[in-house]
Amino acid sequence: MSVFIFILSRRDPLRGVPLHSALNSPGTSHTRHVIQGVYSNGTPYPHPLSRWSCCGFESLGGGRGRTHCRGGAAMGNAQQNPPGRRRGGSGPEQTAASAGGGTGNGSGSKEVANGKAERIPAGGPEESLCQPVDKSYLDAPAGGLPPHLARIKNEGNHLFKHGQFADALDKYTEAIDGCAQAGVSNPEDLCVLYSNRAACYLKDGNSADCIEDCTKALQLQPYHLKALLRRATAHESLERYRKAYVDYKTVLQLDPGVQVAHDGVHRITRMLIEQDGPEWRSKLPEIPAVSLSAQREHREKPASVQEARARAARALREEARRQECRFGALKREGDELVKKNRFEDALDKYSECFAFKADECAVYTNRAICLLKLSRFQEAKQDCDSALRLDPANKKAFYRRALAHKGLKDYLSASGDLEEVLRLDPNVGEAEQELLDVTALLRQTLVDDAAHS
């Protein structure tokens, strides 16, 4: 079994790397500080590794291997020197936080095996990166399994989650064998173990053994959804499309919301049409009819935390997609109604859009068109104000607000908005013409006010 280590190095920190890989990495120094040794399965290495400067490597395993080092003892068969005793000419072992002596400016240094000193920043000593290994996940509930088997299963789950599929497979096998030895015959617990081991086989590309374990799981629980999905995937990878199709369809009888199964059915249908032609359905094996009681039992079965979160996320995505589709349809209907000069109806469609998306600038500017056409200038101005809060450089909002100001006979504000349009885009001819008109109206208003006074 390979020893994994955590290594602290200022230039290129490596973590969780096999020792021989760390020592032979191209372009890296072979002088490193070993902080903590951990086996690949997460078990801490039993010998002290508080401070090492490794210069070479020979085989490790079973406690017999040794590491050539300066300032350290052989890994696996040597004890740590007592505090205060010098080894190989180096000083006494210290933590990273206390390795260097203080200086007047707050900076320090820490010793390394070759006698050189590495500076510690003036902000203070570095904190040690050693953290105790969290093993609390081993004590999580695992169905009705006895505690020692539950720990083995939980360790397998942890390894699988971290991509260590071969080690996870060994743990699930150990748990299955342990159930036989302990006389555990709970079909639900055994079904989950076989299904989990099948997932490991599938990840390692062993589709045949995956199918075998899924079949055992389904003999224990005929409608176990994950076992059906994994067996379908394995059949598909072996190009057994008819059997894969049957399993995917069975999954959809249990839960029509499983998108993976829908995708699998669509994908395999194309394959079967190419393979068997128009009569492909007649060549399928019989698809088992899932009873209503089995469907109800599956729906009412309490979901795990992960499943509940996944379902909630799917529901949110589906609701967002539905709202986006409805919003797009309403906006298109409003646009078509504007083209037909049906401004009242278009106004209703744009107003409905806000129930699905309240921060869409284009809906405000489009609704402002309808309000202008209906001479509802104050409301049109308010919609343009809202659009400009969302997009302060929106030319359409400035132009349509200018028209609303013009309708309200606020020619000074209208000219200001039109000048802003031309500042943003000097090529807007309509804005130039409107500015001339508004300027003339403003001049006439001033003349009339002067004559009246």
Side-chain angles (χ1 to χ4, degrees), residues 81-97:
N81 275 5
R85 181 180 298 178
R86 294 181 177 273
R87 299 185 303 180
S90 63
E93 294 190 355
Q94 301 170 333
T95 63

Side-chain angles (χ1 to χ4, degrees), residues 344-363:
E344 283 281 5
D345 295 334
L347 181 66
D348 292 339
K349 295 297 179 183
Y350 291 136
S351 297
E352 285 185 61
C353 286
F354 290 119
F356 301 99
K357 193 180 289 189
D359 57 353
E360 185 67 26
C361 185
V363 178

